[in-house]
Amino acid sequence: MKIDDRVEQLVRDTLHWAVKRKPAEFGDALRAFPDEASRLSALELLVAICGYTTVDLFGQRPSEGQVRALATDIAEGEGWSSVTIAEVADYIDAVLGGSRTLDTLPPERLVPLSFVVAANLLSSKPKAPGEWWFNYLDKVEAAIEAAG
């Protein structure tokens, strides 16, 4: 996957506000996407980020029980965003190629949910001292682009 530089910066800006748990700024960043094409490109990137980081977290594709536990952790940790356990579990299952599909989630929930899940996964991974979520994102994006 080739990452569009223009969309990547918008994604990073939006992830920043999701990591900071700042709803007003997060909403402004979501509205900064200029058109449907940029939103779809962002969603494609977020799906790839979520898939990579979830598998990285578990060292393999997680079981249904692990997905449910992860969804619970994310929904409880991101209470500011109003994502639900069921939404997060359905999203992660769909991203990982499970029985659910992304089109089962309403479009107005899918984009914010994608950012909240990605932000949580990027920021909650244990990191070396002095390393930040965006350093991990650099590695994830490099792996995504390398995979084709």
Side-chain angles (χ1 to χ4, degrees):
M1 168 182 181
K2 175 69 177 129
I3 299 172
D4 179 321
D5 292 338
R6 179 181 60 104
V7 171
E8 178 191 15
Q9 189 57 55
L10 290 168
V11 166
R12 284 175 175 264
D13 293 345
T14 308
L15 284 170
H16 169 81
W17 294 116
V19 168
K20 295 281 189 185
R21 296 179 172 116
K22 298 284 191 172
E25 293 85 346
F26 177 68
D28 291 344
L30 285 173
R31 289 185 288 280
F33 287 85
D35 53 35
E36 188 65 21
S38 65
R39 285 186 288 278
L40 288 173
S41 184
L43 185 58
E44 182 181 341
L45 177 56
L46 291 164
V47 165
I49 290 168
C50 180
Y52 182 95
T53 55
T54 301
V55 170
D56 189 38
L57 177 66
F58 292 97
Q60 62 187 14
R61 188 190 191 289
S63 68
E64 188 175 316
Q66 289 170 315
V67 168
R68 185 74 179 172
L70 178 60
T72 300
D73 289 346
I74 291 171
E76 289 175 357
E78 304 300 337
W80 66 272
S81 69
S82 77
V83 298
T84 68
I85 295 169
E87 285 176 327
V88 176
D90 288 352
Y91 177 77
I92 294 171
D93 181 67
V95 163
L96 295 176
S99 61
R100 292 173 183 82
T101 60
L102 291 176
D103 60 6
T104 62
L105 295 163
E108 66 276 3
R109 296 290 294 160
L110 180 59
V111 173
L113 175 67
S114 299
F115 277 103
V116 170
V117 171
N120 181 281
L121 290 168
L122 289 165
S123 64
S124 64
K125 177 172 172 65
K127 293 166 219 32
E131 195 166 289
W132 298 89
W133 69 269
F134 47 82
N135 301 122
Y136 182 40
L137 177 57
D138 292 341
K139 293 174 187 175
V140 170
E141 287 181 341
I144 291 168
E145 286 194 313

